[in-house]
Amino acid sequence: MTSADLDVLLPFEDVMFGTEAWSRQSYEEELADTELRDYVVAESDEGTLLGSGGLMTIAGTSQILTVGVLPPARRRGVGRVLVRALVDTARRRGAAEVLLEVRIDNDAARRLYESEGFTVLGLRRGYYENGRVDAVTMRLGLPDGH
Ligand SMILES: CC(C)(COP(=O)(O)OP(=O)(O)OC[C@H]1O[C@@H](n2cnc3c(N)ncnc32)[C@H](O)[C@@H]1OP(=O)(O)O)[C@@H](O)C(=O)NCCC(=O)NCCS
């Protein structure tokens, strides 16, 4: 992902992430931190941006920070491609595991992660919306990661 991609992504940010939407400045800061963070985009064959994802890796643990597919591009496998790209990146960085938080009511994302091998570690009560919505923490072990 480059800052030019933000022009395409940001108009969809609220509809995609609601209360978890990020500002341009937040994204710019994330993109600048190339030591710890990897941001990827998925594009169509014609080069149209379809979705994006981000990963942070610290001390052998990677964390998926965001995955989003633009509404018109959903249910065509783009989310899966993004998750696989992030997991491959975690492996390349030598991580032994990938963690993530997902809203407990986000069935689409939970099914996607489960079908990619992530398992539930536990709940974080009130993680979203000022204490109102729980997060499920999920984990994927990467046995070949080191
Ligand atoms: C979650 C999200 C990234 C999925 O992207 P996508 O490109 O539509 O997902 P895919 O087409 O790769 O689907 C992969 C699997 O996810 C599950 N899935 C995706 N959308 C689903 C839905 N609406 N309902 C139920 N399961 C769904 C299915 O298991 C699907 O596999 P299948 O198509 O073989 O049944 C997308 O819905 C999105 O951007 N949502 C808003 C942002 C968000 O919630 N991000 C996750 C934050 S943790």
Side-chain angles (χ1 to χ4, degrees), residues 9-63:
L9 280 174
L10 282 168
F12 292 97
E13 186 70 12
D14 283 344
V15 74
M16 289 213 289
F17 297 108
T19 55
E20 299 302 306
W22 292 359
S23 65
R24 175 176 283 271
Q25 192 188 338
S26 305
Y27 271 111
E28 297 279 11
E29 285 169 11
E30 293 285 307
L31 292 177
D33 180 16
T34 53
E35 194 187 328
L36 300 180
R37 287 155 211 263
D38 298 282
Y39 276 80
V40 297
V41 291
E43 292 180 337
S44 69
D45 291 343
E46 296 77 34
T48 307
L49 199 150
L50 303 175
S52 66
L55 185 83
M56 173 177 73
T57 306
I58 298 174
T61 294
S62 290
Q63 169 96 17

Side-chain angles (χ1 to χ4, degrees), residues 79-119:
R80 196 181 295 289
V81 166
L82 285 165
V83 170
R84 288 185 182 177
L86 295 174
V87 169
D88 284 347
T89 301
R91 235 183 235 114
R92 271 203 307 282
R93 285 216 183 230
E97 60 177 359
V98 182
L99 302 179
L100 61 86
E101 265 83 40
V102 56
R103 280 176 68 113
I104 196 164
D105 57 3
N106 190 344
D107 288 336
R110 288 181 63 180
R111 279 183 205 189
L112 166 58
Y113 296 131
E114 270 162 26
S115 68
E116 288 299 309
F118 284 81
T119 55

